[in-house]
């Protein structure tokens, strides 16, 4: 099944480059696969794709920057060009 | 360039899907998989997905800092999923040995850590007997992992430290009785090193 293999390929690629984008592509491909897999006819293949989908979501959770880091990144960028969030209001 | 970076950071902030949300989606997918990947239909696949489910719940617990009641619930689910994994692994080994897609020794170690976290979470109210049971279960799992990883020096060291940590915590909460219990479980050839490092 091409879409399922595509999902795995993106998931593999995510280990080397642009993890968030490739994981999102991988999730899209797995979701596409699930539309065409019938759990009543081929339960184990259907389950295997659900398992892979779960692992892609799990990986995305590892890469997602918590909000606090993003706020720190913003504060640091502003500091580098001598801007504070307060002075922007004037 | 700076503005561009700033724009991206603000954009990411607005788009923010939290790790909790991704982990919940992961758990949903694993649970759907388990409706079809049963222990009877596909034993190694069942074990692998239960193992994934355990880790997803465990991580979800560590992302739930603001709600101790929910954290307790997730840790219990992680423990249950890891125990189910190991039960399946044992059954596979006894009936028809089939290759596994994961290292069950890591499951023992993670199960030990989940028990340890449950026992030592200051915000989870726990009777002393329950804490004692979780700490002893943690020790038991870490000792199993220690045995399993004898040929893997780096992993062995990590588990060895987990064993030490668990023995120290048993001593803190239960004094010498706790420590003596731990010593009675440790293989005797390891006792000298453990005693010098406590």
């Amino acid at each position: 099944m091409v879409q399922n293999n595509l999902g795995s390929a993106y998931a593999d690629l995510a280990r080397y480059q642009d993890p968030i984008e490739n994981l999102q592509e991988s999730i899209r491909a797995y979701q596409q696969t699930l539309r065409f897999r019938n759990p009543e006819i081929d339960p184990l293949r259907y389950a295997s794709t659900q398992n892979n989908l779960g692992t892609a979501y799990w990986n995305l959770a590892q890469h997602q920057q918590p909000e606090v880091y993003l706020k720190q990144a913003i504060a640091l960028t502003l500091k580098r060009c001598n801007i504070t969030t307060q002075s922007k209001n004037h | 360039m700076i503005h561009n970076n700033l724009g991206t950071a603000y954009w990411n902030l607005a788009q923010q899907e939290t790790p909790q949300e991704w982990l919940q989606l992961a758990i949903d997918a694993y649970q759907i998989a388990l409706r079809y990947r049963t222990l009877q239909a596909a034993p190694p696949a069942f074990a692998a997905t239960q193992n994934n489910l355990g880790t997803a719940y465990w991580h979800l617990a560590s992302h739930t800092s603001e709600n101790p009641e929910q954290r307790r619930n997730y840790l219990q689910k992680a423990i249950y999923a890891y125990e189910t994994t190991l039960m399946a692994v044992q059954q596979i080994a006894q009936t028809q040995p089939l290759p596994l897609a994961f290292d069950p020794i890591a499951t023992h170690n993670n199960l030990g850590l989940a028990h340890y976290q449950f026992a030592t979470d200051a915000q989870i109210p726990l009777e002393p007997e329950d804490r004692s049971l979780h700490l002893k279960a943690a020790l038991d799992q870490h000792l199993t992992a220690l045995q399993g990883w004898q040929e893997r020096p780096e992993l062995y060291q990590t588990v060895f430290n987990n064993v030490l940590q668990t023995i120290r915590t048993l001593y803190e909460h239960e004094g010498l009785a706790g420590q003596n219990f731990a010593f009675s479980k440790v293989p005797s050839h390891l006792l000298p090193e453990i005693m010098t490092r406590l």
Side-chain angles (χ1 to χ4, degrees):
Chain A
M1 182 104 183
V2 175
Q3 284 296 332
N4 190 50
N5 294 342
L6 201 57
S8 307
Y10 278 123
D12 283 342
L13 200 56
R15 289 161 55 199
Y16 304 101
Q17 63 187 61
D18 307 325
I20 294 177
E21 279 158 46
N22 281 313
L23 285 169
Q24 284 169 343
E25 287 300 330
S26 144
I27 286 167
R28 261 177 235 128
Y30 287 137
Q31 284 169 336
Q32 194 75 8
T33 311
L34 288 169
R35 277 201 232 156
F36 298 103
R37 283 215 161 127
N38 184 336
E40 306 309 321
I41 293 168
D42 200 347
L44 291 183
R45 283 223 170 84
Y46 179 84
S48 167
T49 305
Q50 285 286 1
N51 178 70
N52 295 346
L53 177 64
T55 299
Y57 281 132
W58 178 82
N59 270 313
L60 208 47
Q62 314 304 302
H63 286 288
Q64 206 72 31
Q65 291 188 8
E67 196 175 322
V68 56
Y69 292 130
L70 286 169
K71 284 185 174 156
Q72 280 170 1
I74 290 169
L76 196 67
T77 313
L78 291 172
K79 202 177 158 195
R80 278 199 193 122
C81 43
N82 281 327
I83 308 168
T84 64
T85 33
Q86 282 79 14
S87 69
K88 266 178 77 182
N89 297 329
H90 294 294
Chain B
M1 192 60 194
I2 286 165
H3 273 117
N4 190 30
N5 289 343
L6 206 55
T8 310
Y10 276 123
W11 184 83
N12 282 336
L13 199 56
Q15 290 283 308
Q16 193 67 16
E17 298 266 6
T18 64
Q20 291 94 307
E21 286 168 313
W22 294 124
L23 288 170
Q24 193 57 61
L25 286 168
I27 288 167
D28 293 347
Y30 291 142
Q31 278 167 342
I32 295 173
L34 286 168
R35 279 187 223 155
Y36 306 98
R37 280 189 159 184
T38 61
L39 181 56
Q40 288 70 32
F46 170 82
T49 301
Q50 284 288 352
N51 191 47
N52 293 341
L53 186 64
T55 302
Y57 272 126
W58 183 30
H59 286 173
L60 191 54
S62 61
H63 280 292
T64 311
S65 52
E66 69 293 341
N67 187 340
E69 191 47 46
Q70 213 166 32
R71 190 161 66 243
R72 175 198 183 99
N73 182 23
Y74 292 147
L75 278 174
Q76 276 172 331
K77 287 185 164 155
I79 289 170
Y80 183 69
Y82 282 142
E83 280 173 348
T84 308
T85 307
L86 291 170
M87 178 272 296
V89 168
Q90 200 178 15
Q91 191 167 318
I92 293 164
Q94 281 166 358
T95 51
Q96 40 168 163
L98 292 164
L100 293 170
F102 62 100
D103 181 358
I105 307 297
T107 311
H108 282 291
N109 185 48
N110 292 345
L111 176 56
L113 288 170
H115 275 298
Y116 182 82
Q117 246 168 283
F118 197 95
T120 55
D121 189 320
Q123 288 176 296
I124 295 182
L126 215 53
E127 296 294 327
E129 308 86 73
D130 289 333
R131 180 185 297 116
S132 182
L133 285 175
H134 280 287
L135 284 176
K136 288 169 180 171
L139 181 68
D140 190 36
Q141 295 301 327
H142 288 316
L143 287 173
T144 306
L146 199 65
Q147 171 87 10
W149 274 340
Q150 284 181 74
E151 314 294 324
R152 307 280 302 274
E154 277 175 35
L155 298 170
Y156 182 89
Q157 264 324 304
T158 306
V159 190
F160 193 87
N161 290 333
N162 293 340
V163 169
L164 287 175
Q165 187 185 41
T166 310
I167 297 177
R168 284 189 202 113
T169 310
L170 269 166
Y171 177 71
E172 269 168 41
H173 287 287
E174 301 177 31
L176 279 176
Q179 197 179 55
N180 285 336
F181 171 87
F183 288 167
S184 75
K185 297 286 168 186
V186 171
S188 53
H189 70 279
L190 290 175
L191 278 174
E193 191 186 351
I194 285 186
M195 284 173 162
T196 54
R197 289 181 56 185
L198 273 177

